[in-house]
Amino acid sequence: LMIRRPPRSTPSNSSAASDVYKRQVLIVKVSLVCRVVIADDEAEFRRWLRSLLEGSEDFHVVGEASRGTEAIEIIAMLNPELVIADVYMPDLDGLELARHIQQHFPAISVIIIGAHEDRVYERLAMEEGAMAFLPKSNLSLETVRQTFQVRR
């Protein structure tokens, strides 16, 4: 990460220098935002999670899917940095989705979420290449942020 200082101001270039500096800062800030795809078959939960993540400057939800196969199509088109997927979904569950992402898009991080707190899901998620398994009941902006940053 490199941030350049604006050129020293002189009476003739102070406004132009300020504009260049503002553009450079904006580019740096935009590149630090994590692009996210949410995959969950419950529309209400997807809306809640989108609202939660977009309440932060750290995340921007670029796509949503209600099925695993739909998630794969969206991921291929949008190339997010992070996918948050429910362990149970129609046609391709979150664990299968994590495996597919690991094989075909290894640079993309995956967090598996589920309704139950169970160490078995945590182990299975990690075996399939996910960063973590997080119970929906404990899901917060801070847990997503910490999981993504720590294991990135």
Side-chain angles (χ1 to χ4, degrees):
L1 177 64
M2 183 164 73
I3 300 176
R4 295 185 205 155
R5 293 178 182 232
R8 294 187 187 236
S9 296
T10 62
S12 63
N13 76 351
S14 64
S15 177
S18 176
D19 289 345
V20 168
Y21 180 71
K22 287 177 186 173
R23 276 186 252 129
Q24 289 172 347
V25 169
L26 179 62
I27 290 168
V28 169
K29 187 173 182 176
V30 167
S31 67
L32 296 177
V33 174
C34 175
R35 296 165 34 89
V36 181
V37 167
I38 299 169
D40 194 300
D41 57 332
E42 297 178 30
E44 187 175 322
F45 182 80
R46 286 195 315 271
R47 280 191 297 277
W48 175 82
L49 186 54
R50 173 185 281 272
S51 174
L52 178 76
L53 295 174
E54 291 193 340
S56 161
E57 293 183 359
D58 299 330
F59 299 101
H60 176 65
V61 177
V62 294
E64 294 181 20
S66 61
R67 306 171 72 81
T69 52
E70 180 185 15
I72 290 172
E73 293 172 9
I74 291 170
I75 291 163
M77 284 189 303
L78 301 177
N79 194 32
E81 284 86 27
L82 176 63
V83 174
I84 300 175
D86 188 14
V87 71
Y88 294 116
M89 285 187 295
D91 76 20
L92 191 70
D93 68 33
L95 298 173
E96 294 168 319
L97 179 61
R99 182 182 323 120
H100 181 87
I101 291 169
Q102 182 67 25
Q103 291 171 351
H104 299 280
F105 309 99
I108 298 175
S109 299
V110 179
I111 295 174
I112 301 295
I113 56 175
H116 305 288
E117 269 186 71
D118 192 337
R119 290 275 190 214
V120 173
Y121 291 122
E122 185 176 341
R123 181 182 53 79
L124 291 171
M126 301 298 265
E127 286 175 3
E128 297 300 346
M131 300 169 68
F133 173 82
L134 300 175
K136 287 182 177 182
S137 60
N138 295 340
L139 202 58
S140 69
L141 180 59
E142 196 55 35
T143 58
V144 173
R145 184 184 290 131
Q146 287 176 350
T147 303
F148 183 67
Q149 289 177 349
V150 168
R151 301 189 182 172
R152 195 169 190 189

